[in-house]
């Protein structure tokens, strides 16, 4: 597990928020499941906030082809890319929709956050990029793009981050009528998808690069729909301060994780490009809200929510023996990481 996860301010805040309940004497009672008033077993809310930070990088690490052909000195040709190089500068606005329904033994939660991340930059060096879609130039279509050093370009991602989760709630720890702690076990699916665009001006030539040689169109624009999803498992706890039938302050902290080691085939339709993939994903969410009774059937709620996501992965060649490595002429193995922080304020109703 990534040790920086436990040093993240959001994780420390979650522990601090739940510590007062954990410190209460052991005279607390334990009830099976969760009991929620009928006017509070469903929540529907909308949110406005921002992608507060976005950082990431891709590093080329090792090319087995160079080693197999006695060209180890060319390992120094490995390159690195950072999101900072592409001009990404947070924050960006985000809108969200959220729903939750509580049963005695479990809760269903659905969250969707929509945002538009855009950037403009000037290339610090020649950038050679592989594209999800292709670019037409001179009667041919290219799926590789060169952005020459010093040229201006822009990129944009318009999409969303969504999750569907089930929280299993076996017990409620009651310290008194106005202080309860609900531990939970979580399973779910997290996905991100949207339209990715890059615009490097008008296409004006072709450059050959790499070994074996690949044609890169110089300049041009491309757009493609991209997406990825992963299951996750985790745990959390909800602290409820106040009587169930009156004003109540609810604070919840959750963390989840996903680990995969295997082929890239489940994540791509390009079987001839299948590689070995190792990926670790961690998420941390802190949610605090105040519930205010409005009438016998409806309550108003207002709250704050923060989410942190960290992803680390490596992609390596599947070829192992020398002959296979030379025949495949694989590109560089790569290591990538990305961190995203999202914060939102929301309002809604319980019913």
């Amino acid at each position: 597990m990534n040790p920086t996860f436990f040093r993240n301010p959001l994780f420390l805040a979650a522990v601090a928020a739940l510590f007062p309940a954990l410190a209460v004497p052991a005279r607390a009672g334990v009830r099976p499941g969760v009991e929620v008033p009928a006017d509070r077993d469903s929540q529907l809310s909308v949110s406005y906030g921002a992608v507060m930070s976005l950082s990431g990088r891709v590093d080329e690490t090792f090319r087995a082809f160079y080693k197999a052909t006695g060209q180890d000195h060319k390992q120094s040709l490995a390159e690195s890319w950072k999101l900072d190089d592409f001009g990404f500068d947070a924050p960006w606005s985000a809108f969200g929709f959220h729903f939750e329904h509580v049963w005695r033994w479990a809760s269903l939660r659905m969250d969707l956050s929509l945002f538009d991340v855009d950037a403009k930059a000037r290339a610090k060096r020649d950038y050679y990029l592989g594209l999800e879609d292709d670019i037409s130039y001179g009667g041919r279509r290219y799926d590789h793009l060169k952005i020459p050093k010093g040229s201006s370009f822009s990129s944009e991602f318009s999409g969303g981050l969504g999750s569907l989760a089930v929280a299993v709630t076996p017990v409620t720890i009651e310290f008194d009528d106005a202080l309860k702690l609900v531990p939970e076990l979580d399973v779910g699916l997290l996905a991100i998808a949207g339209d990715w665009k890059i615009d490097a001006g008008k296409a004006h030539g072709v450059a050959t690069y790499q070994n074996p040689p690949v044609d890169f169109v110089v300049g041009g624009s491309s757009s493609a729909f991209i997406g990825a999803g992963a299951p996750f498992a985790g745990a959390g706890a909800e602290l409820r301060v106040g009587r169930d039938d009156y004003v109540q302050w609810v604070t919840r902290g959750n963390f989840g994780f996903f680990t995969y080691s295997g082929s890239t085939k489940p994540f791509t339709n390009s079987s001839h490009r299948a590689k070995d993939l190792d990926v670790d994903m961690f998420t941390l969410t802190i949610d605090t809200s105040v519930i205010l009774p409005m009438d016998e059937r409806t309550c108003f709620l207002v709250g704050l929510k923060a989410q942190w996501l960290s992803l680390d992965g490596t992609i390596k060649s599947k070829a192992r023996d020398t002959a296979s490595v030379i025949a495949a002429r694989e590109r560089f193995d790569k290591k990538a990481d990305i961190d995203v922080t999202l914060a939102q304020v929301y309002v809604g109703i319980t019913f």
Side-chain angles (χ1 to χ4, degrees):
M1 184 173 288
N2 189 339
T4 60
F5 175 76
F6 297 102
R7 296 196 296 266
N8 186 274
L10 291 181
F11 179 81
L12 298 177
V15 174
L18 297 175
F19 181 78
L22 300 177
V24 174
R27 56 185 172 80
V30 177
R31 289 180 175 268
V34 175
E35 294 183 5
V36 178
D39 63 345
R40 300 189 183 188
D41 61 359
S42 294
Q43 292 186 9
L44 182 63
S45 61
V46 295
S47 64
Y48 175 76
V51 179
M52 301 301 296
S53 67
L54 174 63
S55 62
R57 63 180 295 139
V58 176
D59 297 312
E60 293 181 336
T61 56
F62 178 77
R63 190 174 183 187
F65 176 76
Y66 286 151
K67 181 177 178 61
T69 55
Q71 303 180 79
D72 254 342
H73 62 282
K74 290 187 177 181
Q75 302 291 355
S76 61
L77 298 175
E79 295 186 343
S80 296
W81 299 269
K82 296 188 297 183
L83 285 178
D84 290 348
D85 296 338
F86 289 78
F88 288 99
D89 187 17
W92 300 276
S93 296
F95 301 88
F97 304 90
H98 317 277
F99 173 79
E100 177 179 356
H101 184 78
V102 180
W103 293 279
R104 181 169 184 177
W105 302 105
S107 297
L108 176 67
R109 297 170 189 157
M110 293 181 285
D111 293 279
L112 176 63
S113 296
L114 304 174
F115 45 82
D116 187 79
V117 176
D118 58 350
K120 294 182 179 180
R122 187 176 297 274
K124 298 179 181 179
R125 63 179 190 276
D126 290 342
Y127 295 148
Y128 295 89
L129 309 175
L131 303 174
E132 292 292 328
D133 202 359
D134 49 23
I135 297 175
S136 180
Y137 174 71
R140 287 184 55 190
R141 304 190 74 84
Y142 299 84
D143 58 3
H144 288 77
L145 168 68
K146 176 184 178 181
I147 304 177
K149 178 181 179 179
S151 61
S152 298
F153 66 97
S154 63
S155 50
E156 181 179 10
F157 178 80
S158 301
L161 175 68
S163 65
L164 175 65
V166 173
V168 179
T169 52
V171 297
T172 297
I173 304 172
E174 294 187 344
F175 301 105
D176 58 45
D177 289 343
L179 185 60
K180 301 176 183 179
L181 181 68
V182 183
E184 63 184 53
L185 298 175
D186 306 323
V187 292
L189 177 68
L190 181 71
I192 185 170
D195 187 55
W196 168 262
K197 299 178 182 177
I198 187 164
D199 186 352
K202 185 177 180 180
H204 57 277
V206 177
T208 301
Y209 183 63
Q210 296 185 340
N211 180 16
V214 175
D215 289 336
F216 290 72
V217 65
V218 181
S221 59
S222 178
S223 174
F225 181 85
I226 59 175
F232 68 87
E238 183 178 86
L239 179 65
R240 300 181 180 179
V241 180
R243 295 173 56 89
D244 288 341
D245 58 352
Y246 194 57
V247 176
Q248 196 171 56
W249 176 31
V250 180
T251 299
R252 179 191 299 152
N254 302 82
F255 73 89
F257 63 90
F258 168 72
T259 298
Y260 176 82
S261 181
S263 173
T264 58
K265 285 184 179 180
F267 305 97
T268 177
N269 57 10
S270 300
S271 58
H272 65 288
R273 295 181 179 177
K275 299 180 185 295
D276 286 334
L277 173 67
D278 289 287
V279 62
D280 294 303
M281 180 188 75
F282 302 94
T283 65
L284 173 64
T285 303
I286 307 230
D287 187 330
T288 185
S289 63
V290 175
I291 301 176
L292 305 169
M294 296 173 60
D295 55 41
E296 294 182 356
R297 296 185 177 181
T298 308
C299 299
F300 175 77
L301 70 109
V302 58
L304 299 171
K305 183 175 183 179
Q307 184 175 14
W308 178 68
L309 182 147
S310 177
L311 183 70
D312 297 282
T314 59
I315 298 177
K316 297 181 179 180
S317 166
K318 293 183 70 69
R320 293 294 182 266
D321 62 274
T322 300
S324 297
V325 169
I326 294 175
R329 301 176 74 91
E330 290 280 14
R331 310 297 182 191
F332 274 99
D333 296 339
K334 295 178 177 64
K335 178 180 179 181
D337 65 78
I338 186 169
D339 294 284
V340 182
T341 302
L342 180 68
Q344 296 168 300
V345 58
Y346 62 88
V347 295
I349 58 172
T350 70
F351 53 94

